[in-house]
């Protein structure tokens, strides 16, 4: 009899439910506080896993309790939100997406997992894979941005990075794909608000990143707080069990979000805790995080419906199998001291600096960047984020410490040793006190250049942090205007969890740089790019709105029957605003000039099932080296379902010296021509496709060619 069968046979119902119960250890809660005697619960066998455990002394202490005091001595599973770093903090996920670099995404996850695993953590609640097109939503900061293909690529990269070949035993972590699903499309951009999207949009846009995570072997999935068209995800048996387990073959575990199971009562689909627990169990949720619905509700639910014990046993079996797979029974205190990363203790900071540099997006540059260190005698550093350190880490910074973060001030002072750097906050991040603007303006007037450090506090994005007006908070716009009016060349840095709507700043500053929340090495990375020590290569993973009135704005829209035509009143546009965002998906400037030419698509006539080779020449026509990002979009001109005006199907980066030209090639796979057909399953239909290639989702910047997909014997075939 296997260990799992033996344990199942020996366990009481209370102990079985215990294996399905996860509670927080520690105080930095990420949801409503719920006092609970964790040690007593562990000793009584009522707890099978704990989260918010971040240090080895804590994981060790709790594990000893489980092994030594509980009747069966089943080891605990420890989870933690290692979202963009454990102790060394990397750019927040939306910022890191701007690197368009799959290898980097995997590397930072690997590094974070190694740091956390050494502390005895077994599971991370990451990657967050919620596609988002609404910067009012605070959690846009945690995810892949607006584009499904980017979501698919980062999903696989992060799962590979976190889990490695053998999570925990091999020094990695079990990954959790979250929040399943469409959490990024809440009504009015308000966190937790209802989601109402079509099944087609669900399958076209929001499901694919989770499918990619499952195909990459993700061990856990976390259902989202929201409902979809009235069915809360924590009770969504069709999507959790029929689709993810049934259609996709997922064999891992579902771990609920924080208190999400009891919240089925507030959703109005459960009359009491027992009913909520029963719905979640039947839907397929294996572990309940906080809430106590399983601990206190399942015993009552069992009395009402004894057949639930079969669901309980199935969940317990999956949880014990996971603990066995992670080696917790053999090495409950972790695999011992896993080797430092190959580069030694400095490696994480080096990677953090590189990741931060590659995430920076230069939005505007009217000839002022890169700053020329030799001509800079006095630099004014103005703004509420000039000396900020904790804010540079952004939300979900795990045990990252502001004390170890490099501020913009520190980074620029280190990079410009011969330059006098004066600092003036001018205004607070939020607030109405303008009394210090004068000092800032005086500094600006006397300086050779100004770096304006503007943006959000770290807690203004992330969970429960939606903003109805996602612009520059407080009096920062006024500060910027006053400083820019001095005429001193001014570079505006925007540190934020989301695109910030600031049309006046974009028009008046000499340069504007999206600096997201870049993590522990923010200051050094920003200085590297502003001084030209490194070339900017970041590109926007999300459209940047011109006005909150445009939201949601994204590039891959369907055309409608009246696509905008400025010359025709009766087409889809505003009376008072352009349709185009401030900056399109993929926008980002270099310090040099790139030119694309010679687009080829081979073969020009394609049979279903054949791949398409796309190639283009990229030239660096400028005086500085640079790294271009080449995006390949497809537009299916005529199909049985109206298709987006373009959809990203591939991307590649190419580094070029001044004057250098390289041919960049990408291959589109047959499935790239598929779309969700009228029957809601992927289909490929013959016809003409436009292949659009270039740096961003703007037709004027794209080369295009046509390719024809020839009919098969029958006209449409399922992929
Ligand atoms: C939070 C978040 C989730 C996180 C969990 C544990 O409410 O929604 O992303 O992993 O609780 O902290």
């Amino acid at each position: 009899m296997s260990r799992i069968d033996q344990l199942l046979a020996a366990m009481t119902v209370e102990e079985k439910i215990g294996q399905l119960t996860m509670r927080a250890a520690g105080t930095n809660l990420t949801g409503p506080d719920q006092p609970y005697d964790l040690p007593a619960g562990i000793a009584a066998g009522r707890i099978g896993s704990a989260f918010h455990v971040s240090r080895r002394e804590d994981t060790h202490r709790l594990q000893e309790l489980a092994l030594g005091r509980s009747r069966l001595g089943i080891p605990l599973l420890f989870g933690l939100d290692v979202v963009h770093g454990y102790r060394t903090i990397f750019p927040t996920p939306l910022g890191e997406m701007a690197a368009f670099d799959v290898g980097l995404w995997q590397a930072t996850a690997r590094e974070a997992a190694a740091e956390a695993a050494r502390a005895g953590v077994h599971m991370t609640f990451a990657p967050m894979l919620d596609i988002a097109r609404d910067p009012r939503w605070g959690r846009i900061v945690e995810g892949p941005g607006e584009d499904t293909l980017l979501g698919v690529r980062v999903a696989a990269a992060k799962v590979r990075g976190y889990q490695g070949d053998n999570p925990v035993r091999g020094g990695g972590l079990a990954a959790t794909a979250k929040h399943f699903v469409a959490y990024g499309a809440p009504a009015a951009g308000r966190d937790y608000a209802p989601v109402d999207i079509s099944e087609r949009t669900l399958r076209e846009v929001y499901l694919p990143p989770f499918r990619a995570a499952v195909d990459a072997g993700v061990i856990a999935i976390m259902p989202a707080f929201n409902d979809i068209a009235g069915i809360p995800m924590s009770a969504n048996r069709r999507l959790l069990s029929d689709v993810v387990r049934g259609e996709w073959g997922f064999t891992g575990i579902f771990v609920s979000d924080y208190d999400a199971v009891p919240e089925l009562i507030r959703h109005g689909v459960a009359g009491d805790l027992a009913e909520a627990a029963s719905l979640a169990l039947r839907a397929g949720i294996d572990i309940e995080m906080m809430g106590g619905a399983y601990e206190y509700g399942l015993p009552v639910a069992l009395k009402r419906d004894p057949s639930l014990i079969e669901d309980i046993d199935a969940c317990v079996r999956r949880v014990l199998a996971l603990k066995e797979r992670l080696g917790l029974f053999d090495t409950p205190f972790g695999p011992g001291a896993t080797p430092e990363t190959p580069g030694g203790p400095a490696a994480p900071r080096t990677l953090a600096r590189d990741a931060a540099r590659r995430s920076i997006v230069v939005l505007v540059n009217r000839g002022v960047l890169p700053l020329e260190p030799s001509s800079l005698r006095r630099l004014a550093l103005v703004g509420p984020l000039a000396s900020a350190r904790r804010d540079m880490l952004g939300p979900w910074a795990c045990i990252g410490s502001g004390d170890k973060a490099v501020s913009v001030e520190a980074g620029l002072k280190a990079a410009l040793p011969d330059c006098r750097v004066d600092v003036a906050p001018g205004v607070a991040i939020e607030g109405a006190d303008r009394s210090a603007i004068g000092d800032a303006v005086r500094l600006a007037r006397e300086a050779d250049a100004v770096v304006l450090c503007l943006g959000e506090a770290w807690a203004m994005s992330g969970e429960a942090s939606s903003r109805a007006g996602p612009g520059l908070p407080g009096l920062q716009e006024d500060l910027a205007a006053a400083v820019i009016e001095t005429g001193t060349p001014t570079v505006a840095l925007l540190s934020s969890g989301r695109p910030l709507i600031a049309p006046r700043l974009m028009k008046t500053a000499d340069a504007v740089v999206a600096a997201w929340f870049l993590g522990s090495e923010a200051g050094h990375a920003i200085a590297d790019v502003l001084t030209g020590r490194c070339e900017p290569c970041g590109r926007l993973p999300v459209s940047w709105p011109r006005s909150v009135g445009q939201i949601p704005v994204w590039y891959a829209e369907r055309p409608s029957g009246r696509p905008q035509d400025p010359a025709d009143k009766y087409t889809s546009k505003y009376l008072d605003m352009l349709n185009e965002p401030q900056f399109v998906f993929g926008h980002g400037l270099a310090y040099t000039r790139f030119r694309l030419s010679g687009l080829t698509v081979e073969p020009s006539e394609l049979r279903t099932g054949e791949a398409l080779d796309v190639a283009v020449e990229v030239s660096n026509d400028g005086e500085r080296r640079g790294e271009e990002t080449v995006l390949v979009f497809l537009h299916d001109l005529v199909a049985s379902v109206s298709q987006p005006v373009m959809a990203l199907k591939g991307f590649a980066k190419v580094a070029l010296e001044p004057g250098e030209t390289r041919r960049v090639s990408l291959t589109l796979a047959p499935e790239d021509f598929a779309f969700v057909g009228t029957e809601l399953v992927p289909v490929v239909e013959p016809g003409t496709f436009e292949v659009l290639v270039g740096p961003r989702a703007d037709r004027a910047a794209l080369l295009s060619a046509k390719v024809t997909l020839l009919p098969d014997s029958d006209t449409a075939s399922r992929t």
Side-chain angles (χ1 to χ4, degrees), residues 1-39:
M1 187 188 249
S2 74
R3 168 173 28 213
I4 291 175
D5 290 333
Q6 285 172 16
L7 282 171
L8 262 172
M11 290 164 96
T12 64
V13 170
E14 186 180 70
E15 286 164 334
K16 289 180 180 178
I17 293 171
Q19 286 303 306
L20 312 186
T21 300
M22 176 187 278
R23 282 272 177 182
T27 52
N28 63 333
L29 297 182
T30 53
D33 191 5
Q34 298 170 11
Y36 184 87
D37 183 345
L38 185 66

Side-chain angles (χ1 to χ4, degrees), residues 30 52 81 125 139 178-179 222 225 257-258 289 463:
T30 53
H52 288 337
D81 291 287
F125 305 126
R139 302 198 78 166
K178 73 182 185 183
H179 308 78
M222 181 184 288
F225 288 118
D257 205 336
Y258 190 117
M289 178 191 283
E463 185 170 359

Side-chain angles (χ1 to χ4, degrees), residues 666-709:
L666 289 102
T667 299
L668 296 191
E671 53 270 22
D672 290 328
F673 291 82
F675 63 88
V676 179
T678 53
E679 304 308 309
L680 295 177
V681 291
V683 295
V684 175
E685 294 176 351
T688 303
F689 290 76
E690 255 186 319
V691 182
L692 300 151
V693 178
R696 57 189 172 277
D698 170 2
R699 269 185 179 279
L702 297 173
L703 301 180
S704 73
K706 291 255 176 48
V707 65
T708 302
L709 195 53

Side-chain angles (χ1 to χ4, degrees), residues 382 424 426 435-444:
V382 171
S435 60
I437 290 181
D439 292 346
V441 168
R442 258 187 302 286
L443 265 189

Side-chain angles (χ1 to χ4, degrees), residues 94-95 97-98 100 144-147 150 361 516 539-543 585-586:
L94 183 65
M97 292 307 294
F100 279 76
E146 73 177 64
D147 183 76
L150 284 193
V361 181
W516 315 107
R539 299 288 184 271
L540 289 181
V542 62
S543 303
F585 174 85

Side-chain angles (χ1 to χ4, degrees), residues 200-369:
R200 172 176 291 28
T201 297
L202 182 67
R203 289 178 177 272
E204 279 176 350
V205 176
Y206 296 97
L207 285 178
F210 289 91
R211 176 67 193 266
V214 169
D215 291 348
V218 74
I219 282 173
I221 295 178
M222 181 184 288
F225 288 118
N226 55 278
D227 67 286
I228 294 184
I231 311 294
M233 287 313 303
S234 299
N236 200 318
R237 184 174 184 159
R238 179 178 74 87
L239 287 177
L240 269 57
S241 292
D242 301 350
V243 172
V244 176
R245 287 202 192 284
E247 281 180 36
W248 299 356
F250 175 60
T251 56
I253 64 161
F254 283 105
V255 55
S256 86
D257 205 336
Y258 190 117
D259 196 53
V261 177
E263 287 167 15
L264 292 174
I265 299 169
R266 290 194 195 140
H267 273 285
V269 298
D272 59 19
L273 208 56
E275 191 175 355
S278 170
L279 283 171
L281 188 73
R282 292 271 198 227
I285 291 188
D286 298 289
I287 291 181
E288 185 208 5
M289 178 191 283
M290 297 303 277
Y294 278 17
E295 184 175 1
Y296 306 119
L298 275 184
V300 176
L302 270 167
K303 290 194 177 74
R304 294 175 188 168
D305 177 358
S307 72
L308 281 171
I309 193 62
E310 288 137 37
D311 298 86
I312 290 173
D313 285 349
C315 292
V316 174
R317 193 173 284 283
R318 279 193 288 268
V319 171
L320 294 179
L322 171 59
K323 291 185 173 183
E324 208 162 50
R325 173 181 174 187
L326 299 181
L328 305 195
F329 286 101
D330 313 324
T331 53
F333 296 103
T338 43
E340 284 289 342
T341 39
R349 299 289 301 212
T350 306
L351 178 62
R353 184 165 178 166
D354 185 45
R357 284 192 294 240
R358 299 177 68 76
S359 302
I360 291 171
V361 181
V362 176
L363 300 172
V364 174
N365 185 10
R366 296 182 173 97
V368 73
L369 288 177

